[in-house]
Amino acid sequence: MDMDVVIPTEADLSLAISKLSKIGYTYEGERGIDGRHAFTQPSRLPAHHLYVCAAANPELGRHIAFRDCLRANPDVAKTYGLLKKRLADRFGSDREGYSNAKTAFIAEVLSKRSRNS
C-alpha cells in the first residue's frame, strides 16, 4: 500500500521528517523521483510505502490520477491487484524491483486516461 503525506511546500519537509522520525519512520531520500520523499515504516506496522510530497508536486498528481483511474475502473483495479500479488511473490522484500516492475502497467493506465480526457 502506498500512502502520501501532503505538505504545503518543500520548505515544510524538515518538519515532516522530524515528526515522522519521532514515531519510528526512517527517511530514505527521494529515491530517484524529485520531490517524492520516501520513508521506511517502523517494523511494528504492516508493510506499506510512505511518501511525503508537496501539494504541487507532479508525482503526487500522478498518484492521485492513478488512484482515480482504479476507483473508476474495477476491472483495471482487479488486474492491478493481481499484478501486485504476482510481483510480491516474485520480488519478496526487493522493494525497488517490485516498484520498478509495476511501472509499465501504471504508465499504460495513465496514458490511456490522458488519451481519453
Side-chain angles (χ1 to χ4, degrees), residues 50-91:
L50 182 76
Y51 303 103
V52 172
C53 299
N57 183 278
E59 183 64 15
L60 176 63
R62 192 179 74 81
H63 278 195
I64 292 169
F66 186 64
R67 178 207 62 196
D68 291 349
C69 286
L70 295 177
R71 286 180 174 174
N73 300 285
D75 290 340
V76 174
K78 182 178 180 179
T79 301
Y80 184 57
L82 293 171
L83 172 65
K84 287 174 60 109
K85 286 179 184 176
R86 284 194 310 273
L87 295 177
D89 288 342
R90 178 176 166 198
F91 288 97

Side-chain angles (χ1 to χ4, degrees), residues 4-18:
D4 293 318
V5 173
V6 181
I7 55 177
T9 69
E10 280 286 317
D12 300 297
L13 178 63
S14 61
L15 179 60
I17 292 170
S18 174

Side-chain angles (χ1 to χ4, degrees), residues 31 49 51 83-84 86-104:
R31 300 190 60 160
H49 299 149
Y51 303 103
L83 172 65
K84 287 174 60 109
R86 284 194 310 273
L87 295 177
D89 288 342
R90 178 176 166 198
F91 288 97
S93 63
D94 177 5
R95 179 176 171 176
E96 189 171 343
Y98 169 82
S99 293
N100 290 339
K102 54 184 190 156
T103 298

